[in-house]
Amino acid sequence: MSRFDEREPEAAELVRPYVITKGRGLPDEEQLSLVTLVTASADHQQRPTRLSPEEQSLLDLCTAGYLSVAEVAGHTRLPIGVVRILLSALTEGGYLITRPPVQRAALADRDILEEVLNGLRAKFG
């Protein structure tokens, strides 16, 4: 027997995603995309015991501050679809707060940048 055969499979690999998500479907992309930021709500300390171990784990992870959905999935090593479904359920239950990512800053006007560059060249040579 090789060392690979002797290893125990991880518990997460033994449970089917359908069981973890309780048969729920994926949320809309606008509702919870990969770059949506999530964090635990202020009253997350009063959790009911009806949360699954996976939901408890996600909630514990989100207490540290804002993380993107992709980051949460990376930390938990669960499939991204499963994480999105669980995060959506936690959000609907009021345990998580979501917010869209920060919008890209508008590009600076080229004329203004040229004026600044010309001013710097005039002043400093």
Side-chain angles (χ1 to χ4, degrees):
M1 231 191 223
S2 70
R3 285 179 30 175
F4 179 77
D5 295 333
E6 295 171 12
R7 290 189 312 167
E8 290 290 323
E10 291 184 25
E13 294 174 1
L14 298 176
V15 180
R16 306 286 289 172
Y18 184 82
V19 174
I20 295 173
T21 62
K22 300 176 185 166
R24 293 177 286 223
L26 283 170
D28 292 335
E29 186 68 27
E30 297 86 33
Q31 178 189 3
L32 202 63
S33 69
L34 293 178
V35 293
T36 301
L37 301 173
V38 295
T39 191
S41 64
D43 57 347
H44 72 276
Q45 299 295 338
Q46 301 171 354
R47 296 182 216 164
T49 57
R50 70 177 186 266
L51 293 178
S52 70
E54 292 82 13
E55 289 171 326
Q56 290 279 2
S57 171
L58 291 176
L59 198 51
D60 290 340
L61 184 62
C62 292
T63 58
Y66 279 100
L67 292 172
S68 71
V69 172
E71 289 173 317
V72 172
H75 287 296
T76 61
R77 297 182 182 188
L78 289 171
I80 190 71
V82 171
V83 171
R84 285 184 60 213
I85 292 168
L86 294 177
L87 290 176
S88 175
L90 288 170
T91 302
E92 289 171 5
Y95 303 110
L96 292 179
I97 299 170
T98 64
R99 86 174 183 149
V102 177
Q103 294 294 325
R104 256 189 145 165
L107 295 176
D109 185 20
R110 184 178 177 97
D111 295 333
I112 292 174
L113 291 176
E114 286 180 3
E115 286 181 34
V116 169
L117 181 61
N118 292 337
L120 290 172
R121 285 182 179 152
K123 179 145 180 122
F124 298 108

